Amino acid sequence: MLDTKTLYQLLYDHMGPQGWWPAESKIEVMLGAILVQNTNWRNAAYAIESLKQATHLEPHHILNLKIEELQILIKSSGFYKNKAQTILSLLTWLEHYDFDYQEINDHYKQDLRKALIAIKGIGSETADVLIVYIFGGVEFIADSYSRRLYRKLGYTQTNSYEQLKRHIKLPNDFSNQDANEFHALLDNFGKNYLNSKINTKYTFLDAYFEN
């Protein structure tokens, strides 16, 4: 059974740096993290592009939209009513701190994850993505691709996001860049090798798979 640091190194050595998150600003990262929930990136990207054309992704412009207008703009991402409310809730919370991410970090410190999860519509996965890609923290993001890979590696604590997250501890010397890269590597490995539609039979991790 591979430990986390060895898995990271194997993925990195074979796949190289991934250059994530695909966005031009922190606001775009946050919107993408919400809009990609329960859909594919293509549908989320359509919604981001619609928002970009209407608001230039300027957070105050988004907040000035009527919720019905926002719903129409992000409809391609699915679950658009809930996602529109989540976007507004998150941006309203950030506006309280003038979108000063360092101030937010300094204010909440170790309680930042709890504060994010307390925002309506922000779940564990989205909170961890925001911590890594917005606030410069270090968290393991136990998304569906990560759980599938760890399951194939013989881990049994993969039934839910929180279950695997509790079981996998990132190395103490992991930097924010390491956490960023690890998540990107896990996701892209899943898309390229664990996608049943692609059905790639041979990978550099096959020797470690238990089934």
Side-chain angles (χ1 to χ4, degrees), residues 26-27 30 58-60 63 90-104 135:
K26 289 192 173 186
I27 292 297
M30 288 186 282
E58 207 289 322
H60 294 101
L63 284 169
L90 177 59
L91 293 183
T92 299
W93 182 77
L94 292 168
E95 186 181 38
H96 180 70
Y97 298 95
D98 295 320
F99 295 89
D100 187 331
Y101 305 107
Q102 188 57 54
E103 180 187 347
I104 294 171
F135 295 100

Side-chain angles (χ1 to χ4, degrees), residues 31 34-35 62 70 74 83-91:
L31 293 171
I34 294 169
L35 293 169
I62 297 173
L70 180 56
I74 66 170
K83 290 180 180 180
Q85 185 58 63
T86 300
I87 289 170
L88 294 178
S89 295
L90 177 59
L91 293 183

Side-chain angles (χ1 to χ4, degrees), residues 23 29 47 60-62 103 114 154 160 169-170 181 192 198-199:
V29 172
H60 294 101
H61 291 172
I62 297 173
E103 180 187 347
K114 292 180 181 178
S160 69
K169 302 299 180 185
L170 295 180
E181 201 68 70
N192 292 324
I198 300 174
N199 196 29

Side-chain angles (χ1 to χ4, degrees), residues 25-190:
S25 67
K26 289 192 173 186
I27 292 297
E28 188 171 344
V29 172
M30 288 186 282
L31 293 171
I34 294 169
L35 293 169
V36 78
Q37 295 172 12
N38 300 305
T39 189
N40 57 52
W41 182 252
R42 182 180 61 181
N43 292 336
Y46 286 148
I48 291 172
E49 184 58 32
S50 295
L51 271 174
K52 188 176 293 186
Q53 292 180 12
T55 68
H56 302 289
L57 301 188
E58 207 289 322
H60 294 101
H61 291 172
I62 297 173
L63 284 169
N64 285 335
L65 291 172
K66 294 180 180 178
I67 192 166
E68 294 82 6
E69 294 173 325
L70 180 56
Q71 289 171 359
I72 292 171
L73 289 170
I74 66 170
K75 192 170 184 178
S76 66
S77 70
F79 301 96
Y80 56 92
K81 291 184 178 180
N82 288 339
K83 290 180 180 180
Q85 185 58 63
T86 300
I87 289 170
L88 294 178
S89 295
L90 177 59
L91 293 183
T92 299
W93 182 77
L94 292 168
E95 186 181 38
H96 180 70
Y97 298 95
D98 295 320
F99 295 89
D100 187 331
Y101 305 107
Q102 188 57 54
E103 180 187 347
I104 294 171
N105 253 329
D106 293 342
H107 179 77
Y108 287 101
K109 298 180 180 178
Q110 297 303 315
D111 292 326
L112 178 57
R113 190 172 190 267
K114 292 180 181 178
L116 289 168
I117 291 174
I119 299 169
K120 184 177 177 60
I122 300 294
S124 295
E125 181 176 338
T126 304
D128 288 337
V129 167
L130 295 179
I131 288 171
V132 172
Y133 290 95
I134 301 299
F135 295 100
V138 177
E139 291 285 350
F140 174 60
I141 301 170
D143 62 7
S144 58
Y145 280 126
S146 299
R147 295 197 301 276
R148 286 171 65 185
L149 175 52
Y150 274 94
R151 191 176 303 124
K152 288 187 72 67
L153 290 171
Y155 287 79
T156 58
Q157 300 85 357
T158 60
N159 292 328
S160 69
Y161 187 97
E162 291 293 352
Q163 186 184 42
L164 183 60
K165 185 173 176 65
R166 285 194 300 268
H167 187 71
I168 301 298
K169 302 299 180 185
L170 295 180
N172 291 332
D173 60 351
F174 249 40
S175 66
N176 168 255
Q177 182 58 38
D178 291 328
N180 176 322
E181 201 68 70
F182 191 41
H183 171 57
L185 288 164
L186 289 170
D187 262 35
N188 283 338
F189 180 87

